[in-house]
Amino acid sequence: MNTSTGRSADAALDDVQLAAAVRAELATGAVRIHDTRTAAVRVDELVDGVLARDRATLGRALTLVESTHADHRGRATDLLAALLPHAGGAHRVGITGVPGVGKSMFIEALGTQLTAAGRRVAVQAVDPTSTITGGSILGDKTRMQRLANDPDAFVRPSPSAGTLGGVTRTTRETLLVLEAAGFDVVLVETVGVGQSETLVARMVDFFLALMLPGAGDELQGIKKGLLELADMIAVNKADGDNAQRAAAAAREYQIALHLTAPASPHWTPPVLTCAGLTGEGVETLWSQVEQHRRLLSESGDLERRREEQRVRWMWSMLDDRLLEALRTHPAVGKLLPELESQVRSGRTTPVSAVNTLIKTFLQD
Ligand code: GDP
């Protein structure tokens, strides 16, 4: 295992294999993870390595954070507590769009422009579809090869194990670890499916929705909820024959956005066109993202957004912990199958089953 700060193909492969092994174990229900490296490395060593921006250690720290194994959770909590004072410095940007909209290519174009300008960029993929279907839309390791080989960039594929709550936790914690590792920009990529957009929008400073060019029918597919979450809409693939269609689509999105109240009085979400393939429009787009940061920092809105996100984080963690405690409570566990079957057959009402379960839980 290479422990230098430079990008090593071996290190990358090791991390990928390690993550795959963890996923395989979790998928089969064998929760014991035979990861001698993760188990052997002390938390303070992980902390030092992350702060020293050592890529191999960063990979291990993230694997620990992604693990759901009870022993690992305790160490992950210690790791995060130590890293938290060093986090918070990155520009957090969420990017969403349906599969095929060109997220991968766009992020490569944006990421390489940013690293060429001297910024350090991390990309994190969030793909809750994988928790439902077992297959991953974003997990493909061959995506973003150019960026993955850039010494100033770090691409972390989506962990595909766990529940939506688990994905939420992992995403937040991964973001903090990446920030502690000194990345200036963290791009959080997600698919425009299910709750993933809301999940990511609630963790970032800026939320970008990529759209396909095309008018009429396709536009009818825009979800009102997405317009409310987006800080910018960019019609992607606005190159060649698509340019005109993209401009027409942009005009329609502009109209649709006018009907939605902006989240901040200091920012009206713009609609732009761009092309990840040619890089066209990407620089202009980023200058607007930075403008947003400036305006919202000055007005105090950015800090308020982060304050709300921290409080929401506390509550979602509390929800998760309570649910976990309930599910793993021995007396509750004994009652559950019988009560569930009684509810199923109508012999007990859901209300009375819940009352019994909560009472049992609170008795100990
Ligand atoms: P993702 O699923 O959203 O990550 O989309 P990809 O980045 O994998 O791109 C999906 C397809 O669209 C690929 O075949 C790309 O070659 C193509 N594509 C991506 N960006 C552009 C673009 O800016 N212009 C054109 N014409 N094609 C693009």
Side-chain angles (χ1 to χ4, degrees), residues 31 39 63 95 120 125 157 162 175 178 229 244 285 323 350:
V31 279
T63 303
I95 299 174
R120 293 182 74 237
L175 186 66
L178 291 170
L229 294 174
Q244 271 193 332
L285 183 153
L323 205 58

Side-chain angles (χ1 to χ4, degrees), residues 248-272:
R251 281 192 295 277
E252 301 228 9
Y253 285 121
Q254 193 90 58
I255 294 165
L257 268 178
H258 273 308
L259 305 174
T260 319
S264 161
H266 306 284
W267 183 256
T268 306
V271 183
L272 309 180

Side-chain angles (χ1 to χ4, degrees), residues 295-309:
L295 289 173
L296 269 71
S297 296
E298 282 163 13
S299 70
D301 275 8
L302 193 66
E303 187 45 36
R304 267 191 291 282
R305 188 163 170 160
R306 286 198 171 186
E307 281 167 10
E308 275 168 34
Q309 290 175 352

Side-chain angles (χ1 to χ4, degrees), residues 97-106 137-138 143-144 189 210 236-239 242 274-279:
V98 294
V101 73
K103 292 181 293 302
S104 187
M105 210 166 245
F106 172 83
I137 297 175
L138 297 178
R143 302 169 85 243
M144 299 181 217
E189 176 194 14
L210 291 181
N236 195 27
K237 304 196 184 181
D239 49 44
N242 279 333
C274 65
L277 182 68
T278 60

